[in-house]
């Protein structure tokens, strides 16, 4: 669907993008994860034709973005980070305005706006001015404005910034529904939970470079960090643990009545560990599996936190 | 305390635009008002009053009147036929014409009332006051002296019909000498009455409506329009701040269309505002807006185009709404004062008349004066419309270039 090759962009002395390449398949939800200032918005701005790259190539369905810019723009939908709507107009007026810019008219425009407002659960508020909407409702209309012209690919630039958890969940549901309908999306965020929950593949971006890319499982596999199984017992001091220690060959750390197993195969090792503990007459008090998170992968790759 | 004060001063100097405006605005306004009230340039030689002169008598005395008046420091005469002069006054290009009718010399020499008349534009009250003063002190000096001489000669001839020519000339010379220092005798009073200069307004309130009303409506309408359009222009920068501008740019319309669209909506609002102002002036203030409706509508459109282009120009050269608001206020106040929105130009010194041509207000107000006060036909008003359209084209062209150049900053 989208292939971007060797994109670079500088603003005066600031190197915003440094030779970025990415490919997004049709129907895929691709996440671009990185801290503030990593280059996510610049990447989206370039891919959506808002900015021209200093170098590199962008292909949509095999054709250059700039070969027929007007046609390319009609394939693209953008949900900007800001609430890019006219506060003094109603939701319906806003949607009709943005739809008209894409050449949608008359009954088609009317049915399209009604359909989207219904899909987003805002039909009953369609004639209210945007300034009377809550943050979450504004975000939903912000998404709707990018969908009116049935784009082939939608860029979502941190669409959940500044809203409450309930509204965020509503937006996740909207995105998941769009994904299930086969819409291709690129989603930028600095929240790892969002990327983990929503995205098929994730590109980790930092200082204008994509430093890792793949599905969550692929990223976990490629990481040198292990998941951890924390177990607490009531009687560990009185038991011989040599069998268990030997089996896990140095991966096990025992301290007083606690043991921590560091493993890259938590799903496989967990039942074995429980079975061995039972055989050794250990009474489990508490068990916790600490999965490998994107946060820790990001920390491993960049040496800094996502929220730095 | 000093730390807080120092921090405040540092913050003040950090915003260079604000510093510049806070210092520049008072300087500009002080200079402007000093110019308006004549505080500057007082040492300069005063500008001569121009007077059109129609000599229908074409005699020695009428030529003497022309030369005497023209030689005076404070006055400059331009010979014109009455038709030409009247046309120039109607168009607002000149203040008055002095007409010496046929038989002027004969009547003066016979001691009769001098056939002469001053035609003028009532709108130019200040200039007329100065002109009257200059005429009284110079014109009547000539006519009254001649009149007394003529009256004495007639009396001598009547009383001494057999007097030889040489003796008569000698008496005349002595009479002339006696009347070099003319005093206020009973005869002089009679002659003064006969020398009275009739004055007729070519353009007057009686014929052409209320001068003050035209000035108030045209002046205020344009100034208020400039404030409105600068606000509309600033909405372009609001789009940038709100993020809608980015969304517009990713849509399949060209960046120029965004600018032209903004201009068109601003132009519509400007035309609406002016139309409403004139309709109100008609309904509430009694201005006859139907006196030349096509000219009025075209003037409204031309003024709206010029003002709209100003608003868009401000939006494209400024970086933020705050900057547009401060800079527009400064410029609008300056050009409104210069162009006669705040005070009629006729009350201002000559230098202000020359500076006024750089102002949109001047051309718009003059155009509306042509429609309502001078009541000129469309063929005489259109040059002012062309100037306004020219201002619109120039400012729009600069705006388009500036907009394209600053597009990246707007993104």
């Amino acid at each position: 669907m989208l292939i971007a090759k060797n994109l670079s962009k500088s603003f005066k002395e600031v190197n915003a993008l440094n030779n970025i390449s990415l490919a997004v398949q049709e129907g895929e939800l691709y996440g671009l994860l990185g801290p503030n200032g990593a280059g996510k918005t610049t990447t989206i701005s370039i891919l959506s034709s808002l900015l021209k790259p200093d170098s590199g190539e962008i292909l949509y369905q095999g054709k250059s973005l700039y070969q027929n810019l007007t046609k390319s723009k009609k394939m693209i939908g953008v949900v900007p980070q800001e609430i890019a709507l006219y506060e003094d107009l109603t939701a319906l007026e806003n949607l009709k305005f943005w739809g008209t810019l894409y050449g949608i008219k008359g009954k088609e425009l009317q049915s399209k706006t009604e359909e989207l407002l219904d899909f987003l659960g805002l039909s009953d508020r369609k004639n209210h001015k945007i300034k009377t909407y809550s943050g979450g409702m504004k975000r939903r209309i912000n998404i709707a404005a990018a969908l009116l012209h049935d784009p082939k690919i939608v860029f979502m630039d941190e669409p959940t910034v500044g809203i409450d958890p309930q509204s965020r969940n509503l937006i996740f549901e909207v995105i998941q529904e769009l994904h299930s309908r086969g819409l291709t999306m690129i989603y930028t965020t600095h929240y790892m939970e969002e990327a983990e929950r929503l995205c098929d593949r994730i590109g980790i971006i930092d200082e204008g470079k994509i430093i890792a890319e793949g599905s969550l499982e692929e990223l976990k596999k490629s990481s040198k960090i292990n998941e951890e199984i924390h177990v607490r017992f009531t009687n560990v001091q009185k038991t011989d643990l040599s069998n268990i220690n030997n089996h896990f060959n140095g991966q096990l750390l025992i301290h007083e009545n606690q043991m921590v197993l560091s493993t890259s195969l938590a799903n496989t090792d967990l039942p074995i560990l429980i079975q061995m503990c039972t055989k050794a007459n250990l009474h489990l008090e508490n068990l916790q599996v600490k999965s490998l998170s994107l946060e820790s992968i990001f920390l491993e790759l960049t040496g800094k936190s996502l929220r730095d | 305390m000093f730390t807080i004060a120092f921090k405040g001063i540092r913050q003040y100097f950090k915003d260079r635009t604000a510093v510049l405006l806070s210092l520049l605005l008072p300087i500009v306004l002080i200079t402007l008002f000093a110019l308006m009230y004549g505080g500057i340039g007082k040492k300069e030689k005063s500008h001569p009053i121009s007077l059109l002169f129609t000599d229908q008598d074409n005699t020695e005395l009428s030529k003497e009147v022309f030369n005497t008046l023209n030689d005076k420091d404070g006055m400059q005469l331009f010979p014109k036929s009455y038709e030409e002069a009247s046309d120039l006054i109607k168009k607002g290009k000149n203040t008055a014409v002095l007409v010496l009718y046929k038989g002027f010399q004969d009547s003066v020499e016979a001691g009769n009332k001098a056939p002469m008349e001053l035609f003028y534009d009532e709108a130019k009250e200040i200039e007329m006051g100065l002109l009257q003063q200059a005429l009284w002190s110079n014109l009547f000096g000539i006519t009254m002296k001649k009149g007394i001489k003529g009256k004495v000669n007639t009396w001598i001839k009547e009383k001494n019909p057999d007097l030889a020519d040489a003796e008569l000339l000698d008496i005349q010379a002595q009479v002339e000498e006696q009347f070099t220092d003319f005093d206020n005798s009973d005869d002089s009073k009679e002659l003064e009455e006969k020398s009275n200069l009739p004055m007729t307004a070519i353009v007057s309130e009686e014929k052409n409506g209320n001068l003050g009303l035209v000035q108030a409506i045209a002046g205020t309408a344009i100034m208020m329009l400039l404030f409105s359009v600068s606000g509309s222009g600033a909405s372009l920068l609001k789009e940038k701040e709100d993020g809608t501008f980015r969304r517009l740019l990713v849509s399949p319309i060209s960046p120029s269309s965004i600018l032209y669209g903004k201009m068109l909506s601003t132009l519509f609002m400007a035309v609406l505002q002016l139309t409403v102002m004139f309709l109100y002036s008609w309904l509430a203030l009694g201005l006859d807006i139907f006196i030349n409706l096509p000219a009025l509508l075209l003037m409204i459109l031309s003024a709206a185009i010029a003002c709209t282009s100003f608003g868009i120009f401000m939006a494209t050269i400024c970086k933020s709404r705050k900057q547009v608001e401060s800079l527009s206020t400064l410029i609008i106040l300056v050009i409104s004062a210069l162009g006669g929105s705040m005070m009629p130009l006729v009350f201002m010194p000559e230098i202000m008349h020359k500076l006024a041509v750089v102002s949109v207000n001047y051309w718009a107000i003059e155009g509306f004066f042509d429609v309502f006060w001078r009541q000129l036909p469309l063929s005489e008003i259109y040059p002012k419309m062309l100037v306004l359209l020219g201002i619109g084209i120039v400012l729009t062209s600069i705006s388009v270039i500036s907009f394209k150049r600053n597009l990246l900053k707007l993104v």
Side-chain angles (χ1 to χ4, degrees):
Chain A
M1 177 72 199
L2 164 67
I3 297 170
K5 293 178 193 166
N6 308 318
L7 298 179
S8 292
K9 180 76 187 173
S10 298
F11 299 105
K12 290 185 180 168
E13 286 163 16
V14 180
N15 212 359
L17 285 191
N18 196 352
N19 222 25
I20 275 186
S21 295
L22 59 90
V24 181
Q25 303 304 313
E26 198 158 341
E28 191 177 23
L29 206 169
Y30 183 93
L32 209 50
L33 179 74
N36 290 329
K40 301 186 298 288
T41 301
T42 307
T43 306
I44 279 196
S45 297
I46 289 173
L47 294 177
S48 62
S49 81
L50 193 61
L51 290 176
K52 274 200 171 180
D54 297 336
S55 61
E57 193 181 13
I58 303 158
L59 302 171
Y60 281 95
Q61 294 181 331
K63 288 176 184 169
S64 167
L65 167 68
Y66 297 101
Q67 190 178 317
N68 185 341
L69 191 57
T70 308
K71 199 175 167 187
S72 300
K73 280 179 167 183
K74 287 187 177 178
M75 287 172 63
I76 300 167
V78 179
V79 180
Q81 209 175 106
E82 311 89 0
I83 306 290
L85 300 167
Y86 297 103
E87 295 258 311
D88 289 328
L89 301 183
T90 65
L92 195 63
E93 286 167 340
N94 262 287
L95 293 181
K96 283 187 173 176
F97 168 74
W98 293 111
T100 310
L101 291 185
Y102 285 86
I104 312 166
K105 291 172 193 164
K107 283 181 182 171
E108 189 194 355
L109 183 61
Q110 185 70 30
S111 66
K112 201 75 208 165
T113 48
E114 297 285 352
E115 184 191 316
L116 273 169
L117 284 164
D118 190 43
F119 170 58
L120 293 162
L122 289 167
S123 289
D124 55 334
R125 295 290 305 267
K126 66 180 179 184
N127 290 319
H128 289 80
K129 286 181 181 175
I130 294 295
K131 64 182 173 191
T132 65
Y133 278 31
S134 68
M137 288 157 83
K138 285 178 185 175
R139 287 270 166 208
R140 277 184 274 165
I141 298 292
N142 209 28
I143 293 173
L147 301 173
L148 278 158
H149 59 289
D150 287 327
K152 298 275 183 286
I153 183 166
V154 172
F155 294 94
M156 295 196 177
D157 192 4
E158 310 210 22
T160 58
V161 168
I163 52 171
D164 59 273
Q166 197 186 349
S167 301
R168 181 173 292 177
N169 277 331
L170 266 170
I171 287 175
F172 287 164
E173 283 169 23
V174 167
I175 292 166
Q176 281 166 331
E177 174 60 27
L178 290 170
H179 186 34
S180 70
R181 291 181 187 183
L183 183 64
T184 311
M185 284 181 275
I186 294 186
Y187 187 98
T188 76
T189 182
H190 63 269
Y191 295 117
M192 56 169 187
E193 307 87 359
E194 291 188 3
E196 281 178 348
R197 178 173 169 177
L198 299 170
C199 302
D200 299 325
R201 277 196 312 134
I202 298 158
I204 296 178
I205 185 169
D206 187 44
E207 293 180 359
K209 288 180 188 169
I210 291 185
I211 51 176
E213 192 183 45
S215 66
L216 186 59
E217 287 308 309
E218 285 168 345
L219 287 169
K220 280 180 180 177
K221 273 182 195 167
S222 67
S223 172
K224 287 170 190 160
I225 307 170
N226 287 332
E227 291 176 307
E228 289 177 343
I229 301 170
H230 291 244
V231 190
R232 197 161 65 219
F233 305 98
T234 50
N235 56 344
V236 72
Q237 287 154 326
K238 299 165 194 168
T239 314
D240 179 14
L241 301 172
S242 55
N243 278 347
I244 303 173
N245 230 339
N246 289 341
H247 180 83
F248 290 109
N249 196 21
Q251 290 172 267
L252 200 64
L253 184 73
I254 302 167
H255 180 67
E256 294 180 348
N257 61 338
Q258 272 195 73
M259 68 170 68
V260 178
L261 176 64
S262 179
T263 172
S264 59
L265 301 161
N267 288 348
T268 319
D269 286 343
L270 180 63
I272 298 170
L273 179 67
I274 292 170
Q275 200 178 21
M276 291 185 85
C277 286
T278 313
K279 273 187 184 172
N281 287 322
L282 288 168
H283 303 294
L284 270 72
E285 188 183 294
N286 185 290
L287 189 144
Q288 193 181 6
V289 180
K290 290 192 174 174
S291 311
L292 181 58
S293 68
L294 273 173
E295 179 81 55
S296 44
I297 294 171
F298 189 82
L299 193 67
E300 180 196 5
L301 291 168
T302 65
K304 58 189 174 189
S305 162
L306 262 171
R307 285 172 183 81
D308 277 352
Chain B
M1 183 182 76
F2 288 112
T3 312
I4 291 168
F6 185 62
K7 185 214 62 165
I9 294 165
R10 274 180 67 178
Q11 280 179 319
Y12 171 72
F13 282 107
K14 285 262 177 194
D15 189 349
R16 287 179 189 168
T17 313
V19 173
L20 192 71
L21 288 175
S22 65
L23 299 177
L24 196 66
L25 182 64
I27 290 170
V28 171
L29 289 179
I30 287 167
T31 313
L32 197 62
F33 283 109
L35 281 169
M36 283 166 67
Y37 296 119
I40 289 178
K42 264 193 166 174
K43 285 179 184 170
E44 291 170 17
K45 197 179 166 186
S46 61
H47 192 80
I49 304 162
S50 67
L51 175 67
L52 301 177
F53 187 82
T54 302
D55 185 359
Q56 293 178 351
D57 194 39
N58 213 14
T59 55
E60 266 181 42
L61 184 61
S62 66
K63 282 171 189 160
E64 190 188 334
V65 169
F66 178 85
N67 291 330
T68 310
L69 293 176
N70 202 31
D71 286 347
K72 296 288 170 190
D73 274 350
M75 199 177 279
Q76 194 173 6
L77 265 67
F78 299 93
K80 296 277 174 200
S81 71
Y82 174 74
E83 287 72 26
E84 283 175 318
S86 168
D87 194 41
L88 287 168
I89 293 164
K90 280 180 187 167
K91 287 177 184 171
K93 289 179 180 167
N94 286 83
T95 307
V97 56
L98 176 64
V99 182
L100 303 186
Y101 294 115
K102 198 150 183 66
F104 173 74
Q105 184 171 320
D106 294 343
S107 299
V108 171
E109 284 180 354
N112 296 325
K113 188 177 175 177
M116 59 182 175
E117 195 168 358
L118 189 71
F119 294 91
Y120 67 102
D121 179 355
E122 212 171 59
K124 300 189 174 174
E125 207 175 326
I126 300 271
E127 278 168 277
M128 272 309 295
L130 296 169
L131 195 60
Q132 275 175 289
Q133 272 186 340
L135 280 175
W136 274 110
S137 58
N138 296 303
L139 177 64
F140 301 132
I142 307 162
T143 55
M144 285 164 83
K145 214 157 71 176
K146 283 273 180 196
I148 291 164
K149 267 169 67 184
K151 196 170 180 180
V152 171
N153 287 341
T154 311
W155 181 82
I156 294 167
K157 274 185 178 175
E158 277 173 12
K159 297 288 177 191
N160 307 283
D162 304 326
L163 202 65
D165 283 353
E167 282 175 304
L168 183 63
L169 283 171
D170 185 43
I171 293 166
Q172 278 176 349
Q174 284 182 45
V175 168
E176 196 161 336
E177 202 180 317
Q178 289 298 315
F179 280 93
T180 304
D181 298 318
F182 179 75
D183 67 353
N184 195 18
S185 63
D186 286 346
D187 277 345
S188 75
K189 273 187 180 173
E190 185 196 336
L191 282 164
E192 192 177 310
E193 276 170 25
K194 286 185 177 173
S195 303
N196 189 26
L197 176 64
M199 288 171 57
T200 307
I202 291 178
V203 191
S204 68
E205 294 212 345
E206 199 179 317
K207 295 175 194 165
N208 301 64
N210 189 332
L211 174 68
L213 184 64
V214 177
Q215 167 66 39
I217 294 163
T220 312
I222 295 302
M223 187 167 72
M224 294 320 294
L225 183 60
L226 283 169
F227 277 115
S228 303
V229 294
S230 66
S232 295
S235 67
L236 190 68
L237 291 160
K238 188 179 184 301
E239 298 243 18
K240 175 198 162 190
E241 287 161 16
D242 291 350
T244 46
F245 191 74
R246 289 169 68 94
R247 183 164 249 171
L248 285 171
L249 284 175
V250 294
S251 72
I253 55 166
S254 70
S256 307
S257 305
I258 300 170
L259 188 70
Y260 293 136
K262 187 62 74 180
M263 277 189 76
L264 208 61
S265 61
T266 310
L267 178 64
F268 170 78
M269 287 181 267
V271 170
L272 181 71
Q273 188 176 331
L274 279 178
T275 308
V276 169
M277 281 192 197
F278 279 106
L279 280 173
Y280 172 78
S281 307
W282 168 55
L283 292 168
L285 307 171
L287 182 75
D288 183 7
I289 58 169
F290 300 102
I291 201 159
N292 188 349
L293 199 57
L296 173 63
L297 293 176
L298 287 171
M299 261 311 296
I300 285 176
L301 188 63
S302 310
I305 288 171
C307 292
T308 300
S309 64
F310 167 80
I312 296 294
F313 171 74
M314 291 308 299
T316 53
I317 62 161
C318 291
K319 287 176 187 164
S320 66
R321 262 200 300 166
K322 203 176 166 187
Q323 232 179 61
V324 172
E325 282 156 12
S326 345
L327 200 60
S328 294
T329 307
L330 170 68
I331 295 175
I332 293 168
L333 285 176
V334 170
I335 62 173
S336 296
L338 272 180
S341 275
M342 293 181 179
M343 185 199 278
L345 272 176
V346 289
F347 296 132
M348 295 187 208
E350 189 61 28
I351 187 171
M352 297 300 287
H353 293 227
K354 285 178 183 162
L355 288 173
V357 295
V358 300
S359 158
V360 174
N361 305 55
Y362 169 77
W363 294 104
I365 292 169
E366 282 297 305
F368 288 122
F369 259 71
D370 282 353
V371 176
F372 295 112
W373 178 250
R374 299 180 191 114
Q375 297 177 8
L376 297 178
L378 189 57
S379 59
E380 298 288 349
I381 308 171
Y382 85 90
K384 277 153 196 145
M385 294 174 186
L386 289 181
V387 173
L388 287 167
L389 292 175
I391 291 170
I393 290 167
V394 170
L395 289 181
T396 303
S397 306
I398 299 171
S399 302
V400 171
I401 295 165
S402 174
F403 179 73
K404 283 181 180 170
R405 194 175 289 169
N406 293 329
L407 204 58
L408 191 65
K409 286 179 193 164
L410 286 164
V411 171

